[in-house]
Amino acid sequence: MGATAYGKPYAVQPATVASEPVSLIASAQQGNPAAFEALYREVHPRLLRYAAVLIGQEAEDVTAEAWLQITRDLSTFSGDDDAFRGWACRIVRNRALDYARARNRRPVQAADLSLLFDRPDTTDTEQVADENMSTAAALALISSLPRDQAEAVLLRAVVGLDSATAGQVLGKRAGAVRIAAHRGLKTLAIAVSETTEDSGNEHE
Amino acid sequence: MNMSNTDGRPGAEESEMPTLTPYRSPADLEQMLDGRLGASDPLAAVIRAACGPVRPSELSGLPTALNAFTAMPGRDPRPTASNSLLSRISGKVSTRLFALTAGVVATTGGVALAASAGYLPSPASHPQPAPASASTTGSSELSASVRTSPVAPAVPGSSSAAHQGRPAGSGSASASANGPGALPSPNLSGLCRSWLARPHERGQADSNPSFTVLIAKAGGTDLVDGYCTTLLASVSPGASAPTNSASSGAANTKPSKSATAIPGQNKKTPSVS
């Protein structure tokens, strides 16, 4: 469990640095609510999904607490957009681990995630079933992986971190993250193909 | 790079997994992790689903977070020099938000809209070549403008597709429509409607980066009313062109039942304002 202190900037690959997100973060740091809201809308869904894979139903609580901490410590943050997401993920992760320690972690169930991601916010039920059941199902599937793989896949593919930044979240080297993510994908691929075969057999 | 190492096990240090059938190369897997997802790949479909549209319920904590933010002592709301930078992008952000909403409303009834709207955009730090997808849908990139898109706007149906975002839709029926979300140009009509619809907030709106683009376009805060009146008069109220829809104001004030699938993001909490 890497315990690198935050508050200092990530080592971000030069190619990822751009002025715009930095400005947005800087503006939030100066107290601009619109900038904060934009950041929240951008980052929170990713955090929530990451937390869901980590902790299931308590993801909302975890991320809500994480945002309080982010808000509190925002002034000390230094870095760009990628670094911000990494920083936020790290906070979420620490919170989630606290929660997990407080109870015996049980496997995340798709039903748990459905509560988070499948609420009928729309009247288009077909759409809900089509689009969002699959989000919960996909997250549940990913969370069925060994945790290091699940986290690596989530941080890379959903949160959008590169391996180096994800490694800083996880306290691992970038190479280890890459390996875990690849393994996770391979395992997922097998699970998916099995699922497909099963459902194919059922329908035939 | 070691990316081309065989079998995805460059110096594997953790070996809890048995060797799995490697039917994707490490490079393929990296592409997938970077958000370059093949259209018909079932594994990509899982990733795509995990990055699925942002649900309004996912943003239900926004008011609480925002309250905590504004209540935080020591906030200095004074505009500063960096606000000019901010407003540029923030304007883009909210323009995208407006545009998304407007586009969505404009295509009422489009199931495909949910397929494209609100997908978590690919990490902009990673290149995003077009997936070989039948979908012409540009992903909505709702928030992509926040991040560092090297080449920002996803042009819907771009044939070059070199920088198209994540494919919207899961490769099924949902991928059938055009993407209202990826709107590269500011939706001035939507901004105007929003502006005109909330005169009581005008004072606040002046400093709201959302309207920076509009104010700049009009030539000054005082001129926005006239500019918007003229602009909206020239826009057919029924126009459904996603880029120029005049519906965002309506969407903000009166979420349409039939069109709130994903744009409901603006439903529970006001858009950036």
Side-chain angles (χ1 to χ4, degrees):
Chain A
M1 208 117 333
T4 12
Y6 272 77
K8 59 181 182 181
Y10 279 92
V12 181
Q13 294 174 352
T16 68
V17 176
S19 60
E20 291 185 348
V22 175
S23 299
L24 192 60
I25 292 168
S27 179
Q29 287 176 319
Q30 290 158 3
N32 185 323
F36 178 81
E37 179 174 341
L39 268 181
Y40 185 95
R41 288 181 179 276
E42 151 76 5
V43 174
H44 178 71
R46 302 164 199 276
L47 296 182
L48 185 63
R49 293 175 191 197
Y50 177 43
V53 165
L54 287 174
I55 198 76
Q57 262 186 310
E58 288 155 307
E60 277 184 334
D61 294 337
V62 164
T63 50
E65 290 183 15
W67 275 104
L68 290 180
Q69 184 175 342
I70 291 168
T71 300
R72 193 190 66 214
D73 296 343
L74 188 60
S75 60
T76 66
F77 171 79
S78 170
D80 69 357
D81 182 49
D82 285 346
F84 181 81
R85 277 180 285 125
W87 178 59
C89 280
R90 180 58 180 268
I91 292 173
V92 164
R93 187 172 193 269
N94 287 339
R95 293 277 167 178
L97 293 181
D98 288 344
Y99 269 71
R101 273 191 287 269
R103 64 161 165 82
N104 285 329
R105 185 175 186 272
R106 61 183 172 80
V108 175
Q109 303 293 329
D112 297 339
L113 301 184
S114 293
L115 291 174
L116 287 171
F117 297 102
D118 294 341
R119 289 176 190 165
D121 289 298
T122 126
T123 55
D124 192 339
T125 51
E126 184 180 348
Q127 184 176 297
V128 171
D130 223 33
E131 292 301 320
N132 296 286
M133 286 299 281
S134 63
T135 296
L139 293 174
L141 194 57
I142 293 172
S143 67
S144 71
L145 295 171
R147 203 184 76 192
D148 66 322
Q149 297 177 19
E151 287 193 77
V153 169
L154 244 293
L155 291 174
R156 291 290 315 280
V158 177
V159 180
L161 303 181
D162 58 28
S163 290
T165 310
Q168 286 174 307
V169 173
L170 300 171
K172 290 182 173 184
R173 289 182 293 107
V177 173
R178 193 175 295 119
I179 291 168
H182 287 196
R183 286 180 179 167
L185 286 185
K186 290 177 179 178
T187 309
L188 276 180
I190 291 174
V192 167
S193 65
E194 288 173 354
T195 305
T196 308
E197 284 171 14
D198 289 349
S199 60
N201 293 337
E202 284 171 12
H203 290 302
E204 308 271 323
Chain B
M1 297 296 285
N2 291 334
M3 207 173 284
S4 58
N5 278 0
T6 57
D7 213 7
R9 303 177 63 91
E13 56 193 56
E14 305 157 54
S15 51
E16 71 270 29
M17 292 295 296
T19 303
L20 301 170
T21 310
Y23 68 94
R24 288 173 181 84
S25 72
D28 290 340
L29 296 175
E30 276 301 303
Q31 285 201 345
M32 205 168 282
L33 292 167
D34 284 343
R36 287 171 273 168
L37 307 172
S40 58
D41 188 333
L43 177 55
V46 174
I47 301 299
R48 194 176 293 121
C51 297
V54 176
R55 309 280 299 136
S57 60
E58 289 183 76
L59 295 171
S60 60
L62 175 58
T64 305
L66 210 45
N67 283 340
F69 177 81
T70 53
M72 192 65 62
R75 291 273 176 247
D76 178 11
R78 284 175 304 160
T80 66
S82 71
N83 270 8
S84 56
L85 271 178
L86 161 75
S87 43
R88 268 198 298 127
I89 52 143
S90 222
K92 274 164 54 182
V93 170
S94 33
T95 301
R96 290 288 185 95
L97 288 174
F98 279 118
L100 171 66
T101 311
V104 157
V105 172
T107 55
T108 48
V111 170
L113 114 78
S116 64
Y119 267 80
L120 298 182
S122 295
S125 53
H126 309 310
Q128 304 172 28
S133 166
S135 164
T136 57
T137 314
S139 71
S140 81
E141 302 289 353
L142 168 63
S143 50
S145 50
V146 178
R147 51 181 52 242
T148 66
S149 261
V151 179
V155 180
S158 162
S159 56
S160 83
H163 300 287
Q164 199 170 348
R166 250 180 226 272
S170 41
S172 58
S174 57
S176 60
N178 41 9
L183 302 175
S185 60
N187 181 10
L188 292 172
S189 302
L191 283 172
C192 272
R193 288 187 176 266
S194 184
W195 175 280
L196 293 174
R198 299 183 298 177
H200 55 286
E201 295 176 13
R202 194 67 51 80
Q204 190 180 353
D206 288 350
S207 60
N208 186 336
S210 311
F211 293 108
T212 305
V213 172
L214 182 59
I215 294 170
K217 200 80 179 174
T221 306
D222 296 343
L223 302 175
V224 173
D225 280 353
Y227 174 83
C228 282
T229 306
T230 307
L231 176 72
L232 292 179
S234 69
V235 175
S236 162
S240 59
T243 52
N244 203 23
S245 165
S247 307
S248 72
N252 280 339
T253 54
K254 189 185 66 171
S256 157
K257 276 279 183 181
S258 60
T260 46
I262 296 311
Q265 286 186 82
N266 286 345
K267 186 172 58 175
K268 292 184 175 176
T269 57
S271 177
V272 182
S273 59

